[in-house]
Amino acid sequence: MSAIVLAGGGSTRMGKNKALLQLGEKTMIERIVDTLRPLFNEIILVTNHPEEYHFLKNIIYIKDEKILEERNSLIGIYSGLLAANNSYAFVVPCDMPFLNQGLIKYMIDKLEDEDVFIPFIEGHYQPLHAIYSKRCIEPIKKLLDQQKYKIINFFHEVSIKTIDEDTVKRFSKEFTCFLNVNTYQAYLDIQKHWDKLLIRGD
Ligand SMILES: Nc1nc2c(ncn2[C@@H]2O[C@H](COP(=O)(O)OP(=O)(O)OP(=O)(O)O)[C@@H](O)[C@H]2O)c(=O)[nH]1
């Protein structure tokens, strides 16, 4: 299985590239890549500025397919899946620093032949912490062509399996593994509660 890390967004709420923010001894993107490394035989970073990530080793860098003017994570998933050398890919954003290795491994192990394997938490899918098959490429392209960018809008065209809250809680009691760092305030809060968050993420 491949891992696809999305890093092609504008980080407008943060005001600077959030992937490169320092958290403890590592940048956010390094934390993510280090968590994924033992689990996947290829890691694909989808970014239009690969030069900003020269410090990451053994990574495949790809740019977004040039089919849209605007930015959105769906185009990143599409571009990553097209480039992936495996039939399945686990997709994550560049701003989810408390990824739980145990949960991701569980997802890899429990995948059967579904097209999407995804946590369903508090009434919502977690589309940026999910496994997608290459069979999703066509339905995603259809959405992009219709200028519809909500990831879950193609789910009715593919087979889906979900992971429930209780299962996720076995790995990450308070769902810290899905925590996004989108704003500078969120970044400051995380730094303040760093030790506690690291434990909760386990
Ligand atoms: N490859 C790629 N990734 C994207 C694109 N747009 C967003 N992403 C990624 O998708 C994830 C979620 O993005 P958001 O937080 O919604 O958007 P963002 O642009 O990063 O941040 P804001 O500008 O503050 O909304 C992040 O990892 C982004 O880097 C895109 O056009 N291409």
Side-chain angles (χ1 to χ4, degrees):
M1 192 178 299
S2 307
I4 296 172
V5 183
L6 305 179
S11 289
T12 48
R13 282 168 289 174
M14 186 64 72
K16 56 178 160 182
N17 186 352
K18 53 191 169 184
L20 301 178
L21 288 174
Q22 197 75 25
L23 278 178
E25 289 172 357
K26 297 178 185 174
T27 58
M28 194 134 73
I29 193 79
E30 281 173 294
R31 288 185 62 80
I32 291 167
V33 168
D34 286 354
T35 304
L36 299 174
R37 179 79 68 200
L39 302 176
F40 299 96
N41 62 18
E42 87 178 350
I43 300 181
I44 299 169
L45 188 74
V46 193
T47 170
N48 296 310
H49 297 284
E51 70 283 357
E52 293 180 1
Y53 300 97
H54 57 86
F55 54 92
L56 296 174
K57 305 296 175 213
N58 298 321
I59 292 276
I60 298 174
Y61 298 95
I62 63 153
K63 295 189 177 182
D64 283 326
E65 292 291 308
K66 294 266 172 274
I67 53 174
L68 292 178
E69 282 306 311
E70 52 223 291
R71 287 174 166 176
N72 55 70
S73 44
L74 190 61
I75 182 74
I77 297 176
Y78 175 74
S79 307
L81 280 176
L82 274 180
N85 290 303
N86 295 292
S87 323
Y88 285 91
F90 176 69
V91 172
V92 280
C94 63
D95 59 2
M96 214 177 250
F98 299 102
L99 288 176
N100 184 287
Q101 218 172 48
L103 174 61
I104 300 168
K105 182 161 185 335
Y106 177 88
M107 290 179 65
I108 297 168
D109 291 346
K110 295 289 175 191
L111 178 75
E112 289 167 312
D113 61 352
E114 306 77 21
D115 296 323
V116 178
F117 188 23
I118 186 165
F120 189 73
I121 307 298
E122 295 171 344
H124 300 282
Y125 289 115
Q126 292 286 335
L128 295 187
H129 188 295
I131 296 174
Y132 296 90
S133 85
K134 280 206 169 222
R135 290 186 294 267
C136 298
I137 290 174
E138 277 313 308
I140 293 177
K141 177 70 167 57
K142 235 162 62 183
L143 274 191
L144 293 171
D145 288 344
Q146 294 164 14
Q147 300 183 338
K148 291 184 181 157
Y149 308 128
K150 203 168 171 193
I151 299 169
I152 64 171
N153 279 356
F154 78 89
F155 283 9
H156 65 281
E157 295 206 31
V158 295
S159 61
I160 307 269
K161 180 160 91 171
T162 56
I163 307 173
D164 63 20
E165 290 175 15
D166 287 342
T167 306
V168 172
K169 277 184 186 164
R170 280 169 25 206
F171 300 95
S172 182
K173 252 192 255 149
E174 297 179 48
F175 307 131
T176 315
C177 59
F178 304 129
L179 195 97
N180 288 115
V181 189
N182 279 313
T183 62
Y184 198 66
Q185 189 54 52
Y187 175 55
L188 294 178
D189 287 348
I190 278 184
Q191 285 186 316
K192 211 158 87 192
H193 302 294
W194 179 244
D195 294 339
K196 231 189 312 172
L197 278 165
L198 274 183
I199 293 161
R200 273 169 46 185
D202 281 340

